[in-house]
């Protein structure tokens, strides 16, 4: 195991990481997009993005796009490279505000978090569409890990923290259990060649209806390219 530093809240750090990784001339068979913050107070990343949207979504969007060429070169007809993106059941209540992705008009920690998780599902479906259109040996799937007992809940109200502390053993998954569906998506033979799936408890399930809106997927992708400073052409958009 070798560690390379990458701050998903920093576009500069992501680009530096990709340069370091590429310099190693290593293949890339699996990319798991798993960084995240939840219910943080209103604040911005160093690039000026609202933190939920900037870290949870845009960081992964840029990282994935910058690594796509390596992923495409690493995948084969019999062994596709795999992109796994971790979303949340919260995306079911999320609303994508294309005219206010930074939540500047009215900030809600819950709304901003849910929007970032919905964006990840829309991104995954659009990415799989582009990969299929290009004939690439790469698949993209999105995972719901469930309710997992981690430090992600440190910004919730103290009463919720107390309830979590008292009931986590009964209702929350352990980190190992929470990782199981991501691992399934990454290595299971059953997922070979399968892309554009929403997975929960190692099974394909239906995501929110709005996530299947292809026009919304396309518009979010185009806007995301502008925000992180890459062109549609460089990311494979016709």
């Amino acid at each position: 195991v070798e560690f390379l530093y990458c701050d998903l809240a920093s576009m500069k750090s992501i680009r530096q990481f990709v340069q370091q990784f590429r310099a190693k001339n290593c293949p890339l068979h699996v990319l798991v997009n798993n960084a995240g913050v939840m219910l943080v107070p209103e604040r911005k990343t160093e690039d000026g993005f609202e933190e939920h949207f900037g870290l949870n979504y845009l960081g992964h969007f840029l990282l994935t796009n910058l690594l796509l060429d390596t992923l495409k070169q690493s995948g084969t007809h019999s062994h596709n490279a795999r992109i796994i993106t971790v979303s949340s059941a919260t995306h079911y209540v999320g609303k994508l505000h294309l005219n206010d992705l930074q939540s500047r008009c009215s900030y809600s920690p819950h709304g901003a978090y849910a929007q970032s998780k919905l964006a990840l599902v829309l991104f995954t479906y659009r990415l799989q569409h582009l990969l299929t259109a290009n004939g690439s040996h790469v698949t993209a799937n999105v995972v719901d890990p469930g309710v997992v007992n981690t430090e992600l809940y440190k910004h919730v109200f103290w009463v919720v923290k107390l309830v979590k502390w008292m009931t986590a053993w009964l209702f929350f998954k352990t980190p190992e259990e929470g990782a199981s569906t991501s691992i399934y998506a990454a290595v299971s033979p059953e997922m070979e060649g399968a892309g554009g799936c929403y997975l929960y408890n190692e099974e394909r399930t239906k995501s929110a209806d709005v996530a299947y809106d292809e026009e919304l997927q396309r518009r979010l992708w185009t806007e995301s390219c502008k925000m992180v400073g890459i062109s549609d052409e460089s990311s494979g958009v016709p």
Side-chain angles (χ1 to χ4, degrees):
V1 175
E2 184 174 353
F3 174 80
L4 293 178
Y5 178 80
C6 181
D7 180 357
L8 270 291
S10 165
M11 302 295 117
K12 179 180 179 182
S13 178
I14 294 169
R15 292 180 183 276
Q16 290 175 338
F17 164 81
V18 171
Q19 286 182 338
Q20 292 174 342
F21 181 79
R22 283 178 171 171
K24 295 181 176 296
N25 292 315
C26 294
L28 178 57
H29 299 108
V30 177
L31 171 64
V32 181
N33 292 319
N34 188 49
V37 291
M38 184 176 76
L39 307 184
V40 296
E42 186 173 9
R43 59 194 188 197
K44 291 179 170 55
T45 67
E46 67 177 47
D47 301 288
F49 300 123
E50 185 278 316
E51 190 168 5
H52 289 100
F53 197 76
L55 194 162
N56 294 3
Y57 170 66
L58 286 177
H60 292 122
F61 179 86
L62 178 62
L63 178 67
T64 302
N65 272 285
L66 294 181
L67 291 173
L68 266 184
D69 284 344
T70 306
L71 284 157
K72 291 175 180 178
Q73 293 165 9
S74 304
T76 66
H77 177 72
S78 57
H79 291 90
N80 283 230
R82 303 187 187 189
I83 301 168
I84 296 92
T85 297
V86 180
S87 181
S88 161
T90 311
H91 91 275
Y92 286 105
V93 298
K95 294 182 180 180
L96 195 78
H97 302 284
L98 276 172
N99 296 323
D100 187 25
L101 292 172
Q102 303 301 322
S103 303
R104 293 191 179 102
C105 292
S106 59
Y107 181 77
S108 158
H110 293 85
Y113 176 70
Q115 175 180 246
S116 72
K117 290 301 180 177
L118 174 59
L120 289 169
V121 183
L122 289 158
F123 155 68
T124 299
Y125 292 165
R126 178 62 178 168
L127 176 58
Q128 183 59 55
H129 171 80
L130 296 171
L131 291 168
T132 301
N134 293 335
S136 303
H137 298 306
V138 183
T139 58
N141 291 296
V142 61
V143 166
D144 173 4
V147 183
V148 187
N149 188 14
T150 69
E151 290 299 308
L152 195 63
Y153 297 86
K154 64 183 179 180
H155 292 288
V156 300
F157 191 54
W158 71 268
V159 174
V160 179
K161 287 184 181 179
L162 179 62
V163 173
K164 173 181 177 289
W165 178 77
M166 295 174 61
T167 63
W169 64 276
L170 182 62
F171 297 112
F172 284 60
K173 293 182 178 181
T174 65
E176 291 77 13
E177 291 169 338
S180 65
T181 303
S182 293
I183 296 171
Y184 172 80
V187 302
S188 171
E190 296 174 18
M191 292 303 295
E192 179 57 48
C197 302
Y198 184 87
L199 302 170
Y200 176 64
N201 284 344
E202 301 181 17
E203 293 184 358
R204 304 180 199 190
T205 187
K206 189 175 181 294
S207 62
D209 289 339
V210 68
Y212 298 103
D213 185 333
E214 294 183 3
E215 176 63 14
L216 188 60
Q217 296 168 15
R218 184 192 64 77
R219 292 177 64 192
L220 174 63
W221 185 284
T222 299
E223 187 61 28
S224 302
C225 287
K226 294 177 183 176
M227 295 173 82
V228 302
I230 59 177
S231 67
D232 276 2
E233 289 75 16
S234 70
S235 55
V237 178

